[in-house]
Amino acid sequence: MKICLYGSGSRKIDPKYTNCAYELGREIAKHGHSLVFGGGDTGMMGACAKGVHDNNGTSIGIAPEWIGNFEPLCKQCDEFIYVDSMDERKKKFLENSDAFIITPGGIGTLDEFFEIITLRKLKQHDKEIIVFNIEGFFDKMLEMIDEMSEKGFLYKQEELFKKVDTINEIFEII
């Protein structure tokens, strides 16, 4: 299975998050899956990719070449797909992935998350989406989504994603 990871590329992340991302990468490799990710060499992306590579797993990085001006790109990818835009990158994530794991991140991660659940809502795919709520990182966002539903802003609320707190829970779903 090709598992897409959404997560921050920041170098300022508390190690409790990046250590967890590394362990996730290790487990992706141990389960015989491949990682699909934004190609970054730092933050959640880089830690997960390192966990995959250190355990003889495979990965596909997807990014525009110019993103290297903002963060270093992972040189250990088995395949790297260069695209022209962030929109094309998200399209390639969808085309090249069987499931999605959302890990802590910033605005870019939220953009990717909301787009992939919107596409699922609109029946453009039926792939598993998992929010990995490390240390309660997404609690406030999940509360906001619940409130949107309670107040009628979400039409026909169905389960579009699953929330997990542990790596083991991820592999119970996938």
Side-chain angles (χ1 to χ4, degrees):
M1 180 175 270
K2 292 179 182 175
I3 299 172
C4 185
L5 176 109
Y6 294 154
S8 178
S10 173
R11 294 184 184 109
K12 300 177 183 179
I13 299 171
D14 186 313
K16 70 183 176 187
Y17 297 110
T18 52
N19 290 343
C20 197
Y22 179 89
E23 291 303 313
L24 174 59
R26 184 173 63 87
E27 290 301 313
I28 288 170
K30 284 176 69 176
H31 282 85
H33 301 303
S34 296
L35 174 68
V36 177
F37 73 118
D41 198 40
T42 55
M44 299 299 284
M45 287 189 289
C48 187
K50 185 165 177 36
V52 167
H53 297 133
D54 287 353
N55 291 277
N56 302 311
T58 60
S59 68
I60 301 170
I62 303 173
E65 288 189 56
W66 53 260
I67 203 94
N69 296 329
F70 298 93
E71 60 190 35
L73 295 177
C74 181
K75 294 179 179 17
Q76 296 176 311
C77 294
D78 297 281
E79 179 181 356
F80 209 101
I81 300 170
Y82 288 102
V83 296
D84 293 326
S85 69
M86 297 301 271
D87 285 338
E88 188 181 352
R89 181 191 208 189
K90 290 184 287 186
K91 183 179 176 188
K92 291 289 185 191
F93 286 150
L94 181 58
E95 291 172 0
N96 287 282
S97 303
D98 302 306
F100 298 85
I101 300 173
I102 292 78
T103 63
I107 298 298
T109 302
L110 293 178
D111 172 55
E112 293 163 342
F113 170 61
F114 282 111
E115 180 163 326
I116 204 68
I117 63 170
T118 299
L119 290 172
R120 182 163 176 176
K121 174 77 173 168
L122 298 173
K123 305 207 181 304
Q124 298 303 297
H125 74 88
D126 63 352
K127 300 172 183 186
E128 199 69 64
I129 302 168
I130 300 168
V131 174
F132 189 11
N133 195 30
I134 301 168
E135 300 276 330
F137 182 86
F138 289 111
D139 285 351
K140 289 185 183 345
M141 181 191 75
L142 296 169
E143 287 172 24
M144 181 191 75
I145 291 171
D146 287 341
E147 184 175 342
M148 292 165 69
S149 180
E150 290 165 11
K151 292 184 177 180
F153 288 96
L154 299 179
Y155 176 70
K156 283 187 169 179
Q157 179 62 12
E158 66 249 13
E159 186 179 88
L160 299 173
F161 62 90
K162 295 182 174 75
K163 177 194 80 80
V164 301
D165 298 310
T166 68
I167 292 172
N168 287 339
E169 289 175 285
I170 291 170
F171 292 98
E172 289 170 7
I173 294 168
I174 293 180

